[in-house]
Amino acid sequence: LINENRMGKYFKYAIGEILLVVIGILIALQINNWNENRKAEAYEKTILNEIHNTLKEDISFYNALEDRIRAKDTAIDKLLFARQKKITLPNAELIRYIKLYDNGIIFSYNIGPYEALKSSGLDKIQNDSLRFALTKYYEVTIPRAKSFIDIDKEEYEDILKAEDNRMREVGFYEDYLETAINKNGDEGFYTRRSYNLEKYLNDESFSKVLLLEAKFKTNVWLNIRGITRRTKALDSLVERELQKRFNTN
């Protein structure tokens, strides 16, 4: 009887020890899960903030690009009107528009934060709709817009470059070196350009150049407007998720 009592006590003690161990393991797992969830949320907040900031910067860049295209558009119109004798421009203003009509257009975007997210796992973004929107934007929308712009550049760039060389050869403009003192007080050689305004106003071949520039400008402008609209829409989604999940302002 004594032995049976002793065995019963040992059994109860062993069960108690096992329960304590199991409870300890469960508590440890819960704490570990809590820590992992906290780290995941912290990472998600950080990466969404980085994407948000990057999208804001890209939107500013696209707006500046649109301003550059508007200046190009105005210059082309003014030069066409001046050639048609609809307006008379002072020489200084005419030269300013000549410098603006062939403004270069370079499209770029920052994909860094998205690539970092992709490397660590897109499933870090808990909101399924936002994850899909990010993937579609960076994997489809932006690359497609850039490819359209690049195709337009390839189509017109060689033609416009050839026209520019021809214009130089027939005397539309001439480049020369001039010595000047820079703001640091150092003397150096700088490229300057003189313009034959008579040719820009009266040579028939210049109309072809302006129309080519206008067509290229229009195609690119449509793409930039579209990508600006889509970038703003995605940025609103990211901003809304930050406010909803992490109470950011």
Side-chain angles (χ1 to χ4, degrees), residues 18-239:
I18 291 170
L19 286 173
L20 286 174
V21 170
V22 170
I23 291 169
I25 291 171
L26 290 174
I27 291 172
L29 286 173
Q30 190 173 7
I31 291 172
N32 184 62
N33 288 338
W34 180 81
N35 282 331
E36 289 302 315
N37 289 337
R38 188 171 57 83
K39 288 178 184 177
E41 285 192 358
Y43 176 80
E44 185 181 6
K45 179 181 178 181
T46 298
I47 202 70
L48 285 178
N49 267 315
E50 289 181 8
I51 291 172
H52 176 50
N53 291 333
T54 295
L55 290 172
K56 288 291 186 193
E57 290 171 0
D58 284 345
I59 290 167
S60 294
F61 173 74
Y62 301 148
N63 288 336
L65 201 54
E66 282 203 65
D67 288 342
R68 188 174 178 85
I69 295 171
R70 284 190 192 92
K72 184 185 186 80
D73 184 56
T74 299
I76 291 170
D77 285 347
K78 293 289 186 181
L79 289 170
L80 285 171
F81 289 152
R83 287 175 56 78
Q84 295 164 8
K85 313 302 181 187
K86 293 181 179 178
I87 59 173
T88 302
L89 297 173
N91 286 352
E93 196 171 346
L94 184 59
I95 289 171
R96 183 166 70 86
Y97 289 132
I98 289 171
K99 290 177 178 179
L100 286 173
Y101 86 86
D102 64 347
N103 261 351
I105 300 170
I106 299 174
F107 176 77
S108 66
Y109 56 96
N110 188 344
I111 198 172
Y114 174 75
E115 287 294 335
L117 171 62
K118 194 163 71 168
S119 296
S120 64
L122 291 169
D123 58 347
K124 294 288 194 301
I125 304 301
Q126 293 188 22
N127 185 320
D128 294 339
S129 297
L130 178 58
R131 184 168 62 248
F132 175 78
L134 286 167
T135 304
K136 182 181 178 182
Y137 177 83
Y138 284 108
E139 300 289 350
V140 179
T141 304
I142 279 279
R144 184 170 59 189
K146 188 175 188 308
S147 70
F148 288 156
I149 291 171
D150 288 344
I151 288 169
D152 281 327
K153 284 188 73 173
E154 287 175 12
E155 181 180 351
Y156 293 103
E157 202 166 40
D158 289 343
I159 301 172
L160 290 170
K161 193 176 290 184
E163 284 297 320
D164 184 66
N165 288 333
R166 182 195 63 77
M167 288 169 65
R168 184 180 65 250
E169 289 170 1
V170 299
F172 273 78
Y173 66 86
E174 181 182 4
D175 292 332
Y176 61 94
L177 290 177
E178 181 180 85
T179 58
I181 307 296
N182 64 23
K183 61 182 180 180
N184 296 322
D186 300 320
E187 185 177 25
F189 289 96
Y190 299 89
T191 302
R192 298 286 186 260
R193 178 169 291 185
S194 61
Y195 298 93
N196 184 338
L197 300 183
E198 187 67 25
K199 275 200 169 289
Y200 281 99
L201 288 173
N202 298 309
D203 193 305
E204 283 302 317
S205 65
F206 187 52
S207 291
K208 175 187 174 184
V209 175
L210 289 175
L211 292 174
L212 283 169
E213 288 281 4
K215 191 173 180 182
F216 171 59
K217 173 266 305 175
T218 300
N219 292 348
V220 174
W221 203 349
L222 288 172
N223 274 301
I224 296 297
R225 282 176 173 172
I227 201 62
T228 302
R229 188 172 60 253
R230 289 175 175 84
T231 305
K232 287 179 178 178
L234 178 61
D235 186 51
S236 293
L237 289 177
V238 174
E239 189 171 25

